[in-house]
Amino acid sequence: MEAKNQSELVKKYWKGESSVEEEKELLKSNLSHLEVKESTHFQQIRDFSKMSLGADFEAELMAKIKQESTPVRQLHPRMLLRVAAAVLVCVSMYFLYQPLEQTTEETQLAALEEDPEKAFEITKQALLLVSAKLNKASKVALPLDKFEETQTKIKDRN
Amino acid sequence: MSTEEFQKDILPLQDKLYRYALSMVYEVDLAKDIVQEVFIKIWKKREQLDQIENKEAWCIRVTRNQALDKLKMAHRKNVGLEHAANQFVSTLNPEGLAEEKDLVAAIYDIMKDLTEQQREIFRLRDLLGYSNKEIKEMLHLNDSQVKVNLFRARQKIKLKLGKLINYGG
């Protein structure tokens, strides 16, 4: 680019009238013909336009993307709720099973017992055991039937 | 969008996005982090990319938002958003390339007295090489707004360069 053309182009540049193509040409040209302040300005823009991320960036980025894309098995909240519910049921069953088993044995003994008073005591003990373990009357609904039945028998006898 | 398409259409924008981020935060490592975060964000949204008409403009916008977030974080730690960029310039790694540091500081110096809109137009036009038409679409401005702001930005810079010479700066 001739010095005269370059000078004209610089004037257009400062007025904001140059095109992108003309500015590219200006940046490519030999800036030594310009005043120092202008030459420095265009040199800085030219150098900045060459700044790059480097060759490693893309490889690092793709590795990171690959790492982030690796499926991590995550439990959905609904799935977590299902698991929690299943655990709760298992734990409940464990605690329920223990007293009921004993209660069943006691109830069978009570049923075998011919003396209603003894049967009543056996049933009462079974119920106390259940009550102590679970502290919930609802859990003893079955033995309660037996208890009532025995109570009625005693009342009828008296 | 497949990995191949991402590598072909989006990744070539890396240096442009880097320079854009660098001209906002003036810190080399931070600008790199911003671009990496931007690409990861774009990758995660790759299914929606086909619906975006001007992907390059959209990538620039994502980068701008990411850089602004970083500046806001700096603002919370420091005195003000206007000073946040200055803080980055002053904390450039002294062991880094002196030329790179000087260049980034010079670009900061060129742009620091411009208004936000002038700065954005100067950044897109002079530092990234976008045409007025592209800038108009990116910033949702009209022709006249782009032209006037570019003119004023360059006049301010020219005036400043003149002063530097006159005062021997």
Side-chain angles (χ1 to χ4, degrees):
Chain A
M1 185 183 284
E2 286 180 30
K4 196 185 168 189
N5 287 348
Q6 197 180 41
S7 174
E8 287 300 313
L9 201 49
V10 169
K11 277 181 194 166
K12 276 177 84 177
Y13 168 83
W14 289 122
K15 285 181 190 169
E17 291 171 353
S18 51
S19 68
V20 174
E21 289 71 29
E22 284 173 326
E23 286 161 23
K24 278 181 186 166
E25 282 301 311
L26 178 64
L27 292 178
K28 274 185 204 168
S29 68
N30 180 3
L31 299 168
S32 62
H33 306 304
L34 298 173
E35 281 184 48
V36 177
K37 59 178 182 180
E38 285 173 333
S39 163
T40 307
H41 174 75
F42 292 119
Q43 185 67 48
Q44 284 165 346
I45 291 178
R46 182 158 72 186
D47 292 346
F48 189 82
S49 305
K50 286 177 188 165
M51 286 189 84
S52 67
L53 280 161
D56 298 338
F57 178 81
E58 197 170 322
E60 282 172 22
L61 176 76
M62 290 315 289
K64 198 156 190 173
I65 282 174
K66 203 173 175 184
Q67 192 186 343
E68 295 228 353
S69 307
T70 309
V72 178
R73 200 189 164 101
Q74 285 184 332
L75 279 178
H76 191 272
R78 282 184 71 174
M79 183 61 85
L80 276 174
L81 278 175
R82 282 180 191 172
V83 171
V87 170
L88 191 67
V89 166
C90 290
V91 171
S92 306
M93 288 297 284
Y94 171 77
F95 284 110
L96 273 173
Y97 178 72
Q98 296 292 338
L100 278 178
E101 192 178 47
Q102 286 181 22
T103 310
T104 310
E105 284 172 15
E106 301 289 348
T107 312
Q108 282 170 353
L109 277 174
L112 288 172
E113 189 56 57
E114 285 184 357
D115 183 357
E117 278 183 17
K118 279 186 182 176
F120 172 73
E121 281 305 317
I122 292 165
T123 310
K124 194 176 165 186
Q125 276 176 10
L127 288 176
L128 279 172
L129 184 68
V130 170
S131 173
K133 283 211 173 190
L134 292 176
N135 201 21
K136 283 188 180 174
S138 60
K139 305 287 189 297
V140 293
L142 186 65
L144 263 176
D145 289 342
K146 278 283 173 194
F147 178 71
E148 263 186 45
E149 196 183 314
T150 315
Q151 231 179 357
T152 313
K153 275 186 187 174
I154 293 166
K155 275 182 188 170
D156 291 343
R157 204 178 173 188
N158 291 338
Chain B
M1 177 176 268
S2 66
T3 309
E4 290 73 27
E5 284 169 329
F6 179 79
Q7 284 175 310
K8 188 174 131 286
D9 299 337
I10 306 294
L11 278 186
L13 297 172
Q14 59 178 273
D15 289 335
K16 241 180 192 178
L17 299 186
Y18 170 61
R19 288 196 291 274
Y20 185 84
L22 192 55
S23 70
M24 283 188 78
V25 301
Y26 307 105
E27 211 276 319
V28 171
D29 289 335
L30 184 62
K32 276 184 190 176
D33 289 346
I34 288 170
V35 179
Q36 195 171 65
E37 287 163 13
V38 164
F39 277 131
I40 290 170
K41 268 189 181 178
I42 294 170
W43 172 257
K44 284 179 181 170
K45 288 184 178 176
R46 65 189 181 280
E47 301 298 332
Q48 302 157 33
L49 278 181
D50 295 331
Q51 297 160 19
I52 294 164
E53 205 175 306
N54 188 344
K55 292 183 182 64
E56 190 165 330
W58 182 74
C59 289
I60 291 277
R61 198 160 62 240
V62 175
T63 309
R64 178 178 170 76
N65 291 340
Q66 193 74 11
L68 282 175
D69 283 348
K70 299 286 179 188
L71 288 175
K72 278 176 195 163
M73 276 164 66
H75 165 61
R76 281 196 280 272
K77 289 179 191 167
N78 298 309
V79 280
L81 189 59
E82 284 297 311
H83 300 289
N86 194 12
Q87 293 282 334
F88 284 126
V89 171
S90 61
T91 56
L92 278 173
N93 181 10
E95 291 169 8
L97 288 170
E99 279 179 25
E100 199 173 50
K101 183 188 165 189
D102 288 348
L103 181 59
V104 174
I107 294 297
Y108 167 75
D109 205 46
I110 289 171
M111 295 171 74
K112 73 176 178 185
D113 296 325
L114 306 181
T115 65
E116 186 48 46
Q117 200 164 61
Q118 289 168 359
R119 200 179 297 156
E120 185 63 11
I121 290 172
F122 177 82
R123 184 181 282 134
L124 293 170
R125 176 64 188 256
D126 285 35
L127 302 182
L128 299 182
Y130 287 110
S131 67
N132 284 11
K133 189 175 174 280
E134 288 169 313
I135 296 170
K136 181 185 84 171
E137 286 165 8
M138 278 181 191
L139 304 181
H140 306 291
L141 298 172
N142 60 40
D143 287 324
S144 161
Q145 285 170 314
V146 175
K147 217 173 171 181
V148 167
N149 277 291
L150 182 65
F151 171 76
R152 287 183 183 159
R154 287 179 178 174
Q155 285 300 307
K156 267 190 194 176
I157 294 164
K158 190 185 176 191
L159 193 69
K160 195 175 165 186
L161 292 176
K163 276 183 186 169
L164 286 176
I165 300 296
N166 290 340
Y167 293 104

